[in-house]
Amino acid sequence: KNKWFRQTGLRQFAERKDPSLVPKLLPLLNVGDGQTALEALWAINLCGGFDGQVAGTGLHHADPFVRMWTIRLLGDAGRVTPAMSSELARIASTETHPEVRSQLAATAKRLPAADAIPIVTALLKGHDDSADPDIPLQLWWALESKIDADRGKVLQMFEEKDLWSRPTVMKTILPRLMQRCVMAGGKENLAFCARLLGLAPTDAHAGLLIAGLEEGLRGRDVTELSPELIRALKPYRNLFGGESLALEVRQGRGDATNRALVIIADNRANLGQRLSLIRIFGEVNEPRAVPVLLNLVEGGESSGAIRQAALLALQRYDQEEIGIRVVQAYPDQLRADPDVRAAALALCASRPAWAARLLDAIDDRKQMSKKFVAHTIAREDIPDQVVRQLKLLNDESVTRTAERLWPEVRLATSPEKNATLTRVLALLSAEGGNAAEGRNIYRVTCGGCHRLFDEGGNVGPDLTGYDRSNVKDLLVNIVDPGAYIREGYGAYRIQTLDGRIILGTIRSRSGSTMSVQPLSGEAVVISSDQVKDITEQKTSIMPERLLDALTDAQVRDLVAYLMKEGGR
């Protein structure tokens, strides 16, 4: 019963590798309790005695974890006999334990397509695991790994019409399958997309495929799809107007572009379709969209979501007029909504010409000399992260003005950080804080980037799962955020071929595109062929001196909330 003795015994079997011991272990596998049988299975494998007979016993054992480990060990070899392949597929259709089904999906990933696809098909048809946190994506992972090796067998799988309506297939498999192949591109992948679309049994299933196709085209200026795929899409043009229109806009079809511009300008049109089309105009190069997008930014009837999306899309274009009109609209039309304000400032900080217009509207010297006529913008309106991005534009005039207007926005020295840490630790030791009040301070100070208790942004790491009980460690991460930068949250300066500068984290890379999360606003999808230069920054995206703007009471309250356990 002592785990140490069991593990020490297993090490002995592993070191000796004596197959003559297997007959003495088999009775324990056959008649032992679940834990003993599992230990016996491991020992048999370590002795080199794991064969088809042992696997057959393990696959039909009453204990689910013996079955699970048997399936795992079969996958270790990377191949199975035809008889064992059929048995695994049969078991996959009837297995009742979710952890065993999870292992079946994982083992399918490791086997050739001829063995894996029957297992995946049986799991999809025999069970509804769509609500499981792991199995649907495991099944996708197994299936996706077979596409390049054997597209024909993957396609053959979908000739079974009753498979299409299984919940996991509809929710997880179909959109990803189409997205993956169109992102990979090439004649064979696009032909696969066309043939898969031709197999769709209903319009609803075709709609899921088209949605995946559209997602796969994000960030790409598509001027030509394969003739075969275009023919496959034609029957669905009327049924799926939004998706079909989006594809035609990406292809550069003039009539489709005109229809899309009419839709995004119509406040009575479907909001979701308008937002989707606005996003596309931010990914393709269509100068005709600029006047329409600017009208949405300035229009009094536009919702905050529409304005925010239009501002993000306008970053794609380099007309100087964009910066002029956004700066002029900022005080009266854009400032009130925090999300719209952030999007407007992010736009201005993405190109030197636009940044110069923003600084002119802030700079008292320019206002007094009347070189620039516009409503003034308060210096305090510009957050530190926008100031930092202005300096990263590498424009001498912009950098000089930004340093003069915000001399306090600079990296703190080591003595300054140590002094702040000592002061705050002494402050906290003298008196506790109010966590309820600290929540409100968190929302303003940290919540734009970090999630805590299911509340906040996604620019930085989710703080909920972190050990926040050590006050000194917590303060070190706040006062000196660059001391340790968690993998995946390093900042990059990305310059596109059209002159845009983006500062943010790279959330993902897929095929020929990357998803970049700026310091404010929504993620931006960029095609790799649009990138001129990408440079990793040596400092954290989290600004320093966050505590300097807070009173002593506010610091105590914020730390009390950050150290709080459980929910809000």
Side-chain angles (χ1 to χ4, degrees):
K1 293 182 179 181
N2 186 303
K3 185 176 181 180
W4 183 89
F5 283 104
R6 297 200 308 271
Q7 291 184 338
T8 302
L10 287 173
R11 281 196 294 273
Q12 292 294 319
F13 284 113
E15 290 171 4
R16 296 172 187 239
K17 293 183 174 59
D18 184 356
S20 68
L21 299 174
V22 172
K24 296 183 179 181
L25 292 164
L26 285 174
L28 296 177
L29 174 63
N30 289 316
V31 300
D33 62 84
Q35 184 63 47
T36 302
L38 183 59
E39 303 281 351
L41 176 67
W42 288 339
I44 290 170
N45 180 59
L46 293 170
C47 289
F50 184 79
D51 56 16
Q53 181 180 355
V54 172
T57 300
L59 288 175
H60 298 94
H61 200 280
D63 187 86
F65 296 101
V66 174
R67 300 198 300 273
M68 183 187 80
W69 268 94
T70 301
I71 294 165
R72 174 171 174 173
L73 293 174
L74 286 169
D76 284 350
R79 55 186 175 81
V80 292
T81 64
M84 186 60 70
S85 177
S86 299
E87 185 65 7
L88 286 172
R90 189 193 67 76
I91 290 171
S93 64
T94 58
E95 176 57 56
T96 59
H97 198 282
E99 290 192 57
V100 181
R101 296 201 297 273
S102 174
Q103 183 58 57
L104 280 161
T107 292
K109 163 68 171 63
R110 307 172 72 186
L111 297 177
D115 303 312
I117 288 178
I119 297 173
V120 172
T121 303
L123 288 169
L124 289 168
K125 292 175 67 175
H127 313 276
D128 179 9
D129 285 314
S130 58
D132 189 274
D134 302 315
I135 295 176
L137 288 175
Q138 284 186 289
L139 290 168
W140 159 245
W141 187 45
L143 186 62
E144 191 273 340
S145 69
K146 312 307 174 192
I147 293 174
D148 289 336
D150 205 332
R151 289 183 184 82
K153 287 196 178 298
V154 175
L155 205 61
Q156 186 179 9
M157 169 182 172
F158 288 93
E159 292 177 358
E160 297 188 36
K161 298 300 181 184
D162 58 340
L163 179 70
W164 286 74
S165 295
R166 302 297 174 178
T168 299
V169 174
M170 296 185 69
K171 293 179 181 178
T172 305
I173 304 295
L174 292 180
R176 284 180 171 83
L177 191 57
M178 203 72 160
Q179 179 183 350
R180 185 267 185 208
C181 289
V182 77
M183 290 179 72
K187 181 179 178 181
E188 292 182 342
N189 281 310
L190 294 180
F192 177 92
C193 291
R195 293 176 63 190
L196 185 63
L197 193 57
L199 291 174
T202 69
D203 293 341
H205 295 105
L208 294 172
L209 293 174
I210 293 172
L213 180 65
E214 161 62 18
E215 190 65 23
L217 293 172
R218 285 193 65 186
R220 297 166 62 183
D221 190 353
V222 177
T223 57
E224 184 179 352
L225 294 175
S226 69
E228 187 179 2
L229 182 53
I230 291 173
R231 287 194 298 271
L233 287 166
K234 279 185 178 179
Y236 304 105
R237 182 170 181 179
N238 295 327
L239 291 171
F240 303 101
E243 291 85 349
S244 179
L245 179 60
L247 291 173
E248 291 172 1
V249 170
R250 290 191 184 278
Q251 289 177 266
R253 293 184 52 173
D255 57 334
T257 297
N258 292 334
R259 283 186 285 132
L261 291 174
V262 169
I263 290 172
I264 67 173
D266 185 357
N267 289 322
R268 298 167 297 178
N270 178 271
L271 177 62
Q273 187 182 18
R274 292 177 74 199
L275 291 171
S276 177
L277 291 171
I278 290 171
R279 185 190 72 190
I280 291 171
F281 281 119
E283 296 172 359
V284 302
N285 184 23
E286 181 48 75
R288 285 181 292 169
V290 171
V292 180
L293 293 171
L294 282 171
N295 287 338
L296 292 175
V297 171
E298 298 168 335
E301 296 182 1
S302 295
S303 67
I306 291 291
R307 280 179 166 163
Q308 186 179 3
L311 286 162
L312 183 63
L314 282 167
Q315 290 190 31
R316 175 71 172 79
Y317 305 94
D318 61 357
Q319 287 93 321
E320 188 173 358
E321 177 192 15
I322 295 172
I324 295 172
R325 289 174 62 174
V326 169
V327 168
Q328 289 177 337
Y330 177 87
D332 299 327
Q333 295 165 288
L334 309 180
R335 185 178 184 276
D337 185 316
D339 293 331
V340 174
R341 179 172 69 243
L345 294 175
L347 177 143
C348 291
S350 65
R351 296 180 186 273
W354 299 348
R357 292 296 184 178
L358 174 67
L359 293 175
D360 284 349
I362 297 170
D363 193 353
D364 289 337
R365 296 183 185 180
K366 294 291 180 71
Q367 294 296 323
M368 291 176 64
S369 65
K370 298 183 179 180
K371 290 183 179 179
F372 185 74
V373 180
H375 297 289
T376 57
I377 297 175
R379 189 180 72 92
E380 293 73 23
D381 263 16
I382 315 301
D384 288 1
Q385 60 263 35
V386 173
V387 177
R388 292 170 64 194
Q389 186 163 351
L390 290 171
K391 296 179 180 180
L392 284 172
L393 291 174
N394 290 344
D395 181 275
E396 185 177 344
S397 176
V398 169
T399 300
R400 186 167 55 248
T401 304
E403 289 178 345
R404 175 166 54 81
L405 291 174
W406 296 279
E408 72 282 2
V409 180
R410 58 177 177 82
L411 296 178
T413 64
S414 294
E416 289 174 331
K417 293 173 184 176
N418 291 334
T420 300
L421 185 61
T422 301
R423 177 181 66 82
V424 175
L425 283 172
L427 179 69
L428 296 174
S429 64
E431 185 180 345
N434 184 324
E437 292 295 328
R439 180 185 175 191
N440 295 325
I441 301 168
Y442 169 84
R443 286 173 169 173
V444 175
T445 307
C446 316
C449 295
H450 292 283
R451 291 185 71 77
L452 180 60
F453 307 134
D454 297 321
E455 181 177 55
N458 295 308
V459 176
D462 189 327
L463 303 178
T464 309
Y466 275 65
D467 179 10
R468 291 169 279 108
S469 60
N470 187 314
V471 65
K472 186 172 182 178
D473 288 348
L474 182 65
L475 288 175
V476 166
N477 282 288
I478 296 174
V479 174
D480 190 8
Y484 170 72
I485 301 175
R486 183 179 172 184
E487 184 178 358
Y489 291 94
Y492 289 83
R493 178 187 183 272
I494 300 169
Q495 182 178 5
T496 62
L497 291 173
D498 57 23
R500 183 174 22 156
I501 302 293
I502 303 170
L503 178 65
T505 59
I506 298 177
R507 292 175 55 178
S508 63
R509 296 177 188 260
S510 300
S512 61
T513 63
M514 66 175 72
S515 177
V516 182
Q517 175 61 62
L519 296 185
S520 60
E522 298 181 2
V524 180
V525 178
I526 305 173
S527 175
S528 298
D529 57 17
Q530 295 177 16
V531 176
K532 179 180 180 181
D533 180 69
I534 178 168
T535 307
E536 185 175 7
Q537 303 300 294
K538 302 302 182 184
T539 57
S540 170
I541 59 174
M542 179 175 167
E544 297 180 356
R545 306 174 188 275
L546 282 177
L547 300 181
D548 290 359
L550 304 180
T551 66
D552 290 354
Q554 288 174 326
V555 170
R556 284 192 288 261
D557 294 345
L558 173 62
V559 173
Y561 180 65
L562 290 173
M563 297 183 70
K564 179 179 172 64
E565 295 183 2
R568 292 173 287 184

